[in-house]
């Protein structure tokens, strides 16, 4: 299945968050406990998108991010808030594991599945979603932020992705410290191929 190849001027774009689009029971996703808020749950809504006349879906960040990396608290309850939107990526090109129906439902195979199947579940389900959107004439655009990562966000010491590989190669540094031109704790070095 190939992408529809629609011209930009012809797109009717629906921006959606994978989890938010089907997480509420009103979404009427079948197998709600297993598929709500997942790539497969989103796939069930393709007929709804077609009914609206949508021919392009812009998915808000779908790459792996740390939902707990947020120091803010609910002003009335004091409960910790989460990083819901996902604009602080910790692993580019790795689909969010928590958007996988297989992983959300406890692994699917009752522990009998091999490790590779579980590790690849989110990637397979994401590819399945994109294929089915394309099959129905719907383009897919990914909302990605490449100017910063989730490493060191909010002053946390979670330098475990690009920094662990080659910090000064991937980030703009000044006198051994991260620059913060993005306002997010670090700035990716876009000048270094």
């Amino acid at each position: 299945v190939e992408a529809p190849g629609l011209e930009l001027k012809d797109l009717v774009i629906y921006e959606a968050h994978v989890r938010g689009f089907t997480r509420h029971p009103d979404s009427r996703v079948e197998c709600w406990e297993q598929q709500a808020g997942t790539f497969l749950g989103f796939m069930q809504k393709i007929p709804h998108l077609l009914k609206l006349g949508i021919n392009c879906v812009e998915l808000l960040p779908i790459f792996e991010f740390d939902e707990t990396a947020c120091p803010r608290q609910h002003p009335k309850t004091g409960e910790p808030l989460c990083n819901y939107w996902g604009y602080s990526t910790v692993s580019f090109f790795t689909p969010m594991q928590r958007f996988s129906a297989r992983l959300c439902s406890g692994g699917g195979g009752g522990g009998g599945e091999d490790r590779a199947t579980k590790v690849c579940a989110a990637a397979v389900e994401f590819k399945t979603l994109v294929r089915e959107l394309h099959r129905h004439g719907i383009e897919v655009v990914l909302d990605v932020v490449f100017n910063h990562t989730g490493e060191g966000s909010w002053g946390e010491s979670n330098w475990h992705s690009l920094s662990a590989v080659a910090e000064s190669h991937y980030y703009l540094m000044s006198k051994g410290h991260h620059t913060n031109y993005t306002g997010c704790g670090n700035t990716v070095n876009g000048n270094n191929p």
Side-chain angles (χ1 to χ4, degrees):
V1 176
E2 294 195 20
L6 302 172
E7 295 287 328
L8 181 61
K9 66 180 178 58
D10 298 325
L11 297 181
V12 179
I13 302 172
Y14 190 101
E15 185 179 50
H17 186 279
V18 170
R19 179 173 291 146
F21 191 53
T22 62
R23 190 65 193 141
H24 195 275
D26 284 354
S27 68
R28 297 188 184 110
V29 169
E30 293 178 21
C31 303
W32 190 84
E33 288 293 325
Q34 293 79 29
Q35 294 191 8
T38 68
F39 296 122
L40 297 184
F42 195 102
M43 198 166 62
Q44 291 184 41
K45 302 307 289 182
I46 292 173
H48 172 69
L49 294 169
L50 292 171
K51 187 176 177 182
L52 293 174
I54 302 303
N55 63 12
C56 180
V57 171
E58 179 180 351
L59 298 176
L60 294 176
I62 58 101
F63 295 141
E64 193 66 44
F65 64 94
D66 182 359
E67 293 168 306
T68 65
C70 180
R72 297 194 173 144
Q73 298 177 343
H74 188 283
K76 294 183 180 178
T77 66
E79 292 181 41
L81 298 177
C82 71
N83 171 9
Y84 182 80
W85 298 108
Y87 285 99
S88 291
T89 303
V90 295
S91 186
F92 291 111
F93 311 112
T94 304
M96 180 67 141
Q97 298 297 300
R98 288 170 295 287
F99 292 171
S100 164
R102 180 177 305 265
L103 296 177
C104 289
S105 64
E113 291 183 68
D114 62 52
R115 182 182 173 119
T117 301
K118 290 180 183 180
V119 168
C120 296
V124 169
E125 292 176 22
F126 172 66
K127 288 167 62 172
T128 301
L129 169 61
V130 172
R131 183 191 66 225
E132 292 308 307
L133 286 164
H134 285 170
R135 186 184 313 278
H136 288 86
I138 299 174
E139 296 280 7
V140 178
V141 174
L142 299 181
D143 184 343
V144 183
V145 176
F146 288 113
N147 69 351
H148 70 278
T149 69
E151 293 186 288
S153 296
W154 307 102
E156 292 191 13
S157 183
N158 59 344
W159 302 96
H160 54 274
S161 186
L162 299 178
S163 283
V165 177
E167 184 174 52
S168 62
H169 179 78
Y170 288 111
Y171 292 103
L172 286 179
M173 307 293 284
S174 177
K175 298 179 183 175
H177 299 284
H178 283 266
T179 60
N180 188 15
Y181 299 117
T182 64
C184 298
N186 60 63
T187 304
V188 169
N189 185 359
N191 301 318
N192 191 349

